[in-house]
Amino acid sequence: MSNPLTPTPGDQPVLVVGGISDSHTWNLVYLQLLVEEHGHRVVNLGPCVPEDLLIGEALVHDPALIVISSVNGHGYHDGMRTVTRLREHPGLGDVPVVIGGKLGIAGPCGDEEEAALRAAGYDEVFEESADGIAAFRRMLDALPQRALV
Amino acid sequence: MTGAGFGAFVRRAHDAGRLVVQPRMGMSSPERMRAGLLATRDADATTVGTLTLDSYTRVGDLESAQLAVLEGVDLNGYPLVSHETATTRRVLDGIHGPRFPVQVRHGSAAPQHIFRALTAVGLDASEGGPVSYCLPYGRVPLRESVAHWTESCEHFSTLRRTGAEPHLETFGGCVLGQLCPPGLLVAVSVLEALFFRRHGIRSISVSYAQQTNRRQDSEAVAALRSLCTRFLSDTEWHVVVYAYMGLFPETEHGARRLLAQAAELAVESGSERLIVKTVAESRRIPSVAENVSALEYAAAVAERTARDPLEGTGTETYAEAYALVDAVLNLDDDLGTALLKAFSEGRLDVPYCLHPDNAGLSRSYIAEDGRLCWSDVGNMPLSGVVDARPAHTVTSSELLASLSYVRRSFDDHNTRP
């Protein structure tokens, strides 16, 4: 585990968000702890986050990263909608956004869906697996550089 | 007690010495939904059917559900409100009836549209609750959820005028799925049952979800039965046990062993119904065949298990659940108001729950022997009742280890208590 760092007040937070129709929360509790341990302040919006709320909170908090997590199988469809709305919004075209979890009702989504999610505006797509978590942690470690761009 | 309806069916099966087993099943296609109900009915087990609704219908996003129906996109459940009434009647035609009742499972904190739709197609059994379908998972304020559930119960109870006996199951015994100590699960289940009763429902089931320790689970179901005997004496009620609701074992042997333990817990504790899980659970939504296999396996285990209930009131789990129920009932004569007060004062406090109407001061942990315990009871009236062990702040890996405890134990061939 990485050493927890003390976040500086005023740092851009990481928004942790459940998919619009996804009521699961253990994934969000886990992600909050994990992101905090990498030295980032977390604003956890909880489950079932509607797009308007996400957009509003993103404009208020100016996050370094938005993490969308979903396990109910609607992750792909909900995720496409959400990122399209987000990217269309003035001021949110460049905010880093990633998505992960169980994204399809028939198990992991395929390369085609992953490519579609990236094309729609996600910077990264993580499947729920040990490899997915490792890749997510590497991204968190790299985050300050990303945020300064 | 009337002879028709979900509660009466389960009662008759129990009296005949059989455990009722039930899947969690919902597909967006009417043809596949009908095939799933038929396969459930025809399984070699005493079964009831399930229509699990999709997530869009649950959160009231009927536009998305309707769009999916029009475009033929597969959802994670059956969009009851978006399909034509005639379509759902065709799904149920010749299947739903006194010999095979069907329950609608959803998860909505604002379920009026769901109750209207299910009564319109002739169904009379559902589940949920003002607390359990609000706090852990959604964004609806608790105050609104209580109002929505009051209205829904009162609408649902009017079905009795048609000769039906509407049945509601509390989801309170499954709050957050895992890592909620059993005393609080039992208390919420009992309180939601009382809430249903006070709003006109007379046929009720109370849920309890299998947790991390077999003995503690038996104590919890015994406590639940004792409290229902005490508080629901004028009501037809039964207990439904849920196979583990958290991270499920990934191996076939682990998944089957965990399901077998759930079936044994149900029968030994004198419970009447079991919601199964399948070997595919850890990976994806299970197929119909996988559900049938789980139903038949659970029924076979139940068949060779004898009823052997524990005495209900002598355990810490009972003392804890009783203290919580008693404290809430004393807050206000109106149970809805009492529940709101209880959560705003932290008298009920679900550990790790992110909802703004939950105090969020309580914390739980898994002890060496696998029992689920409190490390912090917050403002719940449990001092002197439970022995909370203060713990250091949990890290992400420790949380993941706790969340994976059951999966790991059952996948690893360990002998469990």
Side-chain angles (χ1 to χ4, degrees):
Chain A
M1 164 166 319
S2 66
N3 259 336
L5 307 169
T6 310
T8 322
D11 270 0
Q12 289 173 285
V14 172
L15 282 192
V16 172
V17 179
I20 36 184
S21 74
D22 194 326
S23 58
H24 295 83
T25 56
W26 283 117
N27 48 329
L28 307 177
V29 175
Y30 170 74
L31 284 170
Q32 173 163 1
L33 291 173
L34 186 64
V35 174
E36 284 173 351
E37 286 159 12
H38 281 73
H40 305 286
R41 185 161 64 87
V42 169
V43 174
N44 192 336
L45 298 185
C48 298
V49 177
E51 287 141 355
D52 289 341
L53 178 72
L54 174 57
I55 288 167
E57 295 289 316
L59 291 171
V60 168
H61 292 288
D62 183 25
L65 173 70
I66 298 175
V67 180
I68 299 176
S69 174
S70 188
V71 292
N72 75 344
H74 284 185
Y76 173 75
H77 288 284
D78 286 357
M80 288 295 277
R81 247 178 71 177
T82 297
V83 80
T84 306
R85 282 282 312 278
L86 204 65
R87 289 303 184 213
E88 282 167 3
H89 202 281
L92 297 176
D94 298 327
V95 61
V97 188
V98 301
I99 188 167
K102 283 188 167 73
L103 301 176
I105 60 173
C109 67
D111 295 343
E112 208 171 301
E113 277 99 351
E114 194 179 315
L117 286 165
R118 287 175 191 274
Y122 286 103
D123 295 82
E124 299 285 351
V125 180
F126 302 100
E127 280 296 345
E128 187 223 29
S129 66
D131 287 349
I133 291 175
F136 181 71
R137 296 175 78 124
R138 282 197 298 276
M139 184 208 58
L140 289 176
D141 285 333
L143 191 58
Q145 287 75 28
R146 290 171 61 92
L148 291 173
V149 170
Chain B
M1 189 193 303
T2 65
F6 192 90
F9 175 89
V10 174
R11 173 63 46 210
R12 281 197 301 273
H14 186 75
D15 290 347
R18 295 192 304 270
L19 179 70
V20 173
V21 291
Q22 179 177 3
R24 297 147 85 232
M25 187 189 281
M27 295 78 111
S28 39
S29 143
E31 292 74 28
R32 286 174 52 221
M33 191 69 245
R34 182 172 170 84
L37 288 170
L38 278 170
T40 303
R41 185 194 70 181
D42 296 341
D44 185 16
T46 305
T47 56
V48 287
T50 305
L51 275 185
T52 298
L53 307 192
D54 69 287
S55 301
Y56 294 129
T57 303
R58 180 176 63 73
V59 296
D61 183 0
L62 297 178
E63 200 182 327
S64 294
Q66 185 68 51
L67 203 62
V69 167
L70 292 173
E71 293 178 350
V73 171
D74 276 341
L75 297 174
N76 59 3
Y78 184 80
L80 176 68
V81 181
S82 304
H83 280 309
E84 299 283 343
T85 304
T87 303
T88 304
R89 283 186 182 274
R90 277 197 300 276
V91 168
L92 298 168
D93 184 41
I95 302 178
H96 169 63
R99 296 171 65 182
F100 185 69
V102 174
Q103 184 189 36
V104 172
R105 309 189 57 84
H106 52 98
S108 179
Q112 291 96 322
H113 61 304
I114 294 169
F115 280 97
R116 278 196 299 274
L118 73 93
T119 51
V121 296
L123 293 172
D124 55 12
S126 190
E127 47 94 53
V131 173
S132 58
Y133 270 0
C134 174
L135 275 180
Y137 313 110
R139 311 199 68 79
V140 174
L142 184 60
R143 178 172 299 282
E144 290 176 23
S145 179
V146 166
H148 293 315
W149 272 92
T150 300
E151 192 185 326
S152 297
C153 288
E154 287 170 0
H155 164 75
F156 197 41
S157 70
T158 62
L159 268 188
R160 268 208 312 280
R161 292 186 205 139
T162 68
E165 188 58 72
H167 181 90
L168 268 187
E169 170 197 318
T170 68
F171 194 68
C174 311
V175 164
L176 234 70
Q178 55 179 329
L179 295 188
C180 182
L184 181 58
L185 296 176
V186 169
V188 176
S189 211
V190 170
L191 288 165
E192 288 191 327
L194 282 167
F195 180 91
F196 294 163
R197 181 67 190 91
R198 292 190 184 183
H199 292 292
I201 305 297
R202 298 196 308 204
S203 178
I204 292 169
S205 43
V206 284
S207 61
Y208 177 75
Q210 179 184 25
Q211 299 291 323
T212 49
N213 178 283
R214 189 174 178 151
R215 174 78 187 184
Q216 192 184 28
D217 285 340
S218 299
E219 292 174 6
V221 178
L224 181 59
R225 300 195 77 89
S226 297
L227 289 167
C228 288
T229 303
R230 176 172 179 152
F231 288 107
L232 291 171
S233 55
D234 65 343
T235 308
E236 173 191 281
W237 61 269
H238 71 257
V239 171
V240 52
V241 169
Y242 281 60
Y244 190 61
M245 296 278 280
L247 291 179
F248 219 67
E250 291 171 311
T251 61
E252 185 168 342
H253 73 264
R256 283 169 76 88
R257 214 149 55 90
L258 184 53
L259 175 59
Q261 265 198 22
E264 287 163 4
L265 168 68
V267 175
E268 285 171 2
S269 63
S271 301
E272 291 86 349
R273 182 160 57 98
L274 173 73
I275 309 269
V276 304
K277 275 204 169 189
T278 71
V279 292
E281 219 67 50
S282 65
R283 299 185 291 278
R284 55 177 162 70
I285 294 177
S287 68
V288 170
E290 285 157 345
N291 267 303
V292 169
S293 164
L295 292 166
E296 293 183 341
Y297 180 63
V301 171
E303 188 71 28
R304 60 169 190 257
T305 306
R307 287 179 199 168
D308 185 20
L310 294 180
E311 194 277 320
T313 59
T315 61
E316 184 179 297
T317 307
Y318 178 86
E320 199 179 312
Y322 179 80
L324 293 170
V325 170
D326 187 56
V328 175
L329 293 179
N330 283 320
L331 286 173
D332 199 282
D333 286 343
D334 179 90
L335 187 47
T337 307
L339 286 169
L340 293 173
K341 268 192 191 171
F343 278 100
S344 71
E345 294 173 4
R347 303 271 154 188
L348 295 175
D349 187 353
V350 180
Y352 299 105
C353 167
L354 298 170
H355 196 287
D357 290 332
N358 186 61
L361 300 174
S362 72
R363 282 292 178 267
S364 57
Y365 70 98
I366 301 172
E368 289 288 309
D369 61 0
R371 290 175 87 93
L372 198 46
C373 302
W374 294 106
S375 52
D376 195 334
V377 297
N379 292 329
M380 286 188 284
L382 296 176
S383 49
V385 179
V386 307
D387 183 20
R389 187 197 72 174
H392 68 107
T393 308
V394 72
T395 65
S396 62
S397 348
E398 286 164 346
L399 180 72
L400 197 56
S402 300
L403 292 170
S404 317
Y405 173 84
V406 166
R407 168 181 287 180
R408 204 168 55 241
S409 311
F410 279 80
D411 279 343
D412 283 354
H413 285 282
N414 282 351
T415 308
R416 291 172 43 79

